[in-house]
C-alpha cells in the first residue's frame, strides 16, 4: 500500500511542529443560528457510515499518540540518519567525487536504509496485537471506497485500529526510503555496485541487511531481543528528550 493521501497529510501530526494557522475570520453573531454557515444541513449518518467515521477518527488519533512511543523514536531516528547519509552521498556525487570516498558514502546510506526498513518492521510488530496482521491487510484510510472491504466488527476492533494506525503512520513517512530502492539502487551505478559488493556489506551494512531479512514474514519475524526490549518500553514522558531529537540537536550544533 502506498501513501495514505491528502487526508492524513492534513489531519495527522507534524513532527517538527508545523501547524495550519487559525481561521480568524469574524463570525456575524447577528445571523440566525440555523443559517450561520450557509450550508445545507448535514445528512444523517447511517450506522455503517458512523462506524467508518469512528474507525477513521480513532486511527488518526492513535497515529498522533504513537509519536511518544520508543518504537517510533527508533524508526524516526533511523530515517533521519538515512536522510543525512543520503544527502552527503548526493553532495559528493554532485562534486564529481569518485573512488572510495563516494563508495563509502553510499555504503553508509545503504546501512541506514536497511536500518530504517528494519525499524519500520519493528514498529509495526510493536502494535501487532494478537498477531492481527495474519488476518487483516491494512487499507488506505483516506480512500473511503476501501472501507467496504471491512466488516463492521473489523471497524470496531481495537486490535485492527491499532495495527492500521501503525501501518498508516509508517506509510506517511516511507516515500523517500522506498524511492531509494527503486530510483537509486536500481539506476545509480556506484550505489548499485556498492550494494552488491560483499566487502562493503561485511564492513558496513551487512548487520542491518540481515536484521531486515530476519524480520520478514518469510523468516518468521525474528527481531534482535535488545531492540524488542527497547521498542516495548514505556512511552516517553512530557519533556523527556527522544533520541531523534538529540540527533537533530547534535547535527545542528555540529
Amino acid at each position: 500500500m502506498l501513501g495514505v493521501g491528502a487526508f492524513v497529510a492534513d489531519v495527522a501530526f507534524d513532527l517538527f511542529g508545523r501547524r495550519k494557522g487559525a481561521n480568524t475570520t469574524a463570525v456575524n453573531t447577528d445571523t440566525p443560528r440555523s443559517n450561520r454557515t450557509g450550508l445545507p444541513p448535514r445528512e444523517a449518518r447511517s450506522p455503517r457510515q458512523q462506524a467508518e467515521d469512528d474507525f477513521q477518527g480513532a486511527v488518526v488519533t492513535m497515529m498522533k499518540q504513537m509519536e511518544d512511543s520508543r518504537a517510533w523514536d527508533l524508526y524516526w531516528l533511523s530515517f533521519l540518519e538515512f536522510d543525512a547519509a543520503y544527502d552527503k552521498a548526493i553532495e559528493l556525487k554532485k562534486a564529481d567525487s569518485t573512488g572510495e570516498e563516494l563508495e563509502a558514502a553510499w555504503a553508509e546510506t545503504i546501512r541506514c536504509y536497511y536500518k530504517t526498513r528494519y525499524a519500520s518492521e519493528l514498529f509495526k510488530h510493536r502494535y501487532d496485537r494478537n498477531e492481527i496482521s495474519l488476518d487483516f491487510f491494512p487499507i488506505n484510510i483516506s480512500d473511503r471506497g476501501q472501507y467496504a472491504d471491512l466488516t463492521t466488527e473489523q471497524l470496531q476492533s481495537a486490535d485492527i485500529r491499532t495495527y492500521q494506525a501503525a501501518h498508516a503512520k509508517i506509510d506517511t513517512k516511507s516515500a523517500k526510503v522506498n524511492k531509494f530502492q527503486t530510483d537509486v539502487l536500481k539506476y545509480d551505478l556506484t550505489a548499485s555496485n556498492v550494494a552488491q559488493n560483499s566487502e562493503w556489506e561485511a564492513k558496513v551494512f551487512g548487520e542491518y541487511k540481515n536484521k531486515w531479512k530476519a524480520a520478514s514474514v518469510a523468516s518468521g519475524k525474528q527481531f534482535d531481543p535488545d531492540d524488542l526490549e527497547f521498542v516495548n518500553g514505556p512511552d516517553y514522558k512530557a519533556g523527556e528528550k527522544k533520541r531523534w531529537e538529540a540527533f537533530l540537536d547534535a547535527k545542528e550544533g555540529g
Side-chain angles (χ1 to χ4, degrees), residues 120-218:
S120 73
E121 295 303 321
L122 261 172
F123 180 78
K124 288 182 286 187
H125 179 75
R126 165 68 176 81
Y127 293 103
D128 188 8
R129 298 175 179 173
N130 298 311
E131 297 187 308
I132 197 67
S133 63
L134 297 177
D135 301 313
F136 169 70
F137 188 79
I139 64 171
N140 182 336
I141 62 170
S142 66
D143 183 356
R144 294 302 286 257
Q146 293 190 20
Y147 286 50
D149 296 333
L150 304 181
T151 66
T152 300
E153 290 73 19
Q154 286 177 314
L155 290 172
Q156 296 172 342
S157 167
D159 289 346
I160 285 179
R161 289 180 176 189
T162 301
Y163 186 67
Q164 173 68 65
H167 196 281
K169 190 171 183 66
I170 287 291
D171 212 40
T172 61
K173 301 296 183 181
S174 63
K176 188 169 185 177
V177 178
N178 294 337
K179 286 183 178 180
F180 181 71
Q181 170 65 42
T182 58
D183 296 356
V184 180
L185 292 184
K186 187 175 181 180
Y187 294 108
D188 186 283
L189 183 60
T190 303
S192 179
N193 287 340
V194 169
Q196 300 176 52
N197 186 287
S198 59
E199 293 184 6
W200 281 117
E201 180 172 339
K203 288 191 300 183
V204 181
F205 59 83
E207 176 188 2
Y208 279 106
K209 181 179 180 179
N210 291 333
K211 281 189 172 186
W212 170 65
K213 285 183 175 180
S216 68
V217 174

Side-chain angles (χ1 to χ4, degrees), residues 48 64 77 87 97 115 126 171 174 193 195 221 242 254:
R48 172 68 190 195
K64 169 63 177 176
L77 171 63
D87 287 347
S97 296
K115 182 181 178 181
R126 165 68 176 81
D171 212 40
S174 63
N193 287 340
K221 292 187 176 182
K242 303 175 179 69

Side-chain angles (χ1 to χ4, degrees), residues 50-171:
Q50 188 60 53
E52 293 178 359
D53 291 346
D54 292 345
F55 178 83
Q56 190 178 63
V59 167
V60 172
T61 298
M62 288 179 181
M63 289 171 67
K64 169 63 177 176
Q65 294 170 340
M66 289 172 181
E67 182 180 351
D68 291 327
S69 72
R70 295 182 186 274
W72 182 253
D73 186 31
L74 178 63
Y75 173 80
W76 196 239
L77 171 63
S78 301
F79 177 87
L80 292 175
E81 290 173 342
F82 163 76
D83 198 44
Y86 178 78
D87 287 347
K88 180 179 179 180
I90 290 298
E91 289 176 4
L92 289 173
K93 180 180 178 180
K94 289 180 178 179
D96 294 326
S97 296
T98 58
E100 187 167 346
E101 182 181 25
L102 182 58
E103 289 182 359
W106 280 126
E108 176 61 14
T109 306
I110 294 168
R111 185 189 75 84
C112 294
Y113 163 76
Y114 281 122
K115 182 181 178 181
T116 306
R117 294 291 299 273
Y118 171 65
S120 73
E121 295 303 321
L122 261 172
F123 180 78
K124 288 182 286 187
H125 179 75
R126 165 68 176 81
Y127 293 103
D128 188 8
R129 298 175 179 173
N130 298 311
E131 297 187 308
I132 197 67
S133 63
L134 297 177
D135 301 313
F136 169 70
F137 188 79
I139 64 171
N140 182 336
I141 62 170
S142 66
D143 183 356
R144 294 302 286 257
Q146 293 190 20
Y147 286 50
D149 296 333
L150 304 181
T151 66
T152 300
E153 290 73 19
Q154 286 177 314
L155 290 172
Q156 296 172 342
S157 167
D159 289 346
I160 285 179
R161 289 180 176 189
T162 301
Y163 186 67
Q164 173 68 65
H167 196 281
K169 190 171 183 66
I170 287 291
D171 212 40

